[in-house]
Amino acid sequence: MDSFLINDKVCNINIVPYEDKCGNGTYMICYRGWNLDFHYDDKKILYASIPEDGPYLIYFRSSPFPTFGKDIEIVKEYLQEKHGIRDFLYYDSDRDEASYVSF
């Protein structure tokens, strides 16, 4: 588990590798990467994943702005420095076409 401070509050990140095999019994396709669980201020949980085939990209399963607010820049800086992340996306189900949004 990784930890860092955001304005005197601890943000813990639990990183777990995943492997998702797809195919009709043959497992022709296999998705690998890392799931991340963000625990912020001991109450908020936010989920994200980093695919193995795009290790510089992180997908948040929902908008991180309600959780981190303006402090999202601190989170981005930490992920850039510690994990080499360059591209940040979150899933926005409120759009006309539900899709990932870059931020």
Side-chain angles (χ1 to χ4, degrees), residues 60-100:
F60 287 88
R61 295 185 191 153
S62 61
S63 174
F65 294 103
T67 302
F68 298 115
K70 63 182 179 175
D71 295 330
I72 190 65
E73 293 304 319
I74 297 169
V75 176
K76 288 174 69 172
E77 183 179 310
Y78 171 81
L79 291 169
Q80 288 168 340
E81 289 177 8
K82 179 81 174 168
H83 299 283
I85 303 297
R86 293 188 304 241
D87 297 318
F88 298 83
L89 301 170
Y90 71 89
Y91 186 75
D92 186 359
S93 60
D94 293 332
R95 294 178 64 164
D96 290 337
E97 292 182 23
S99 62
Y100 282 94

Side-chain angles (χ1 to χ4, degrees), residues 1-3 12-15 37 39:
M1 181 174 295
D2 288 352
S3 297
N12 293 308
I13 305 172
N14 187 26
I15 302 172
D37 300 336
H39 302 266

Side-chain angles (χ1 to χ4, degrees), residues 15-90:
I15 302 172
V16 178
Y18 72 83
E19 180 175 274
D20 186 13
K21 296 180 180 178
C22 301
N24 47 351
T26 61
Y27 303 117
M28 297 286 288
I29 301 172
C30 184
Y31 299 100
R32 292 185 180 100
W34 299 269
N35 286 324
L36 292 83
D37 300 336
F38 290 81
H39 302 266
Y40 179 55
D41 198 20
D42 290 332
K43 34 187 157 154
K44 308 223 183 214
I45 298 176
L46 190 63
Y47 302 100
S49 62
I50 300 171
E52 184 180 69
D53 61 347
Y56 302 108
L57 174 67
I58 188 167
Y59 293 98
F60 287 88
R61 295 185 191 153
S62 61
S63 174
F65 294 103
T67 302
F68 298 115
K70 63 182 179 175
D71 295 330
I72 190 65
E73 293 304 319
I74 297 169
V75 176
K76 288 174 69 172
E77 183 179 310
Y78 171 81
L79 291 169
Q80 288 168 340
E81 289 177 8
K82 179 81 174 168
H83 299 283
I85 303 297
R86 293 188 304 241
D87 297 318
F88 298 83
L89 301 170
Y90 71 89

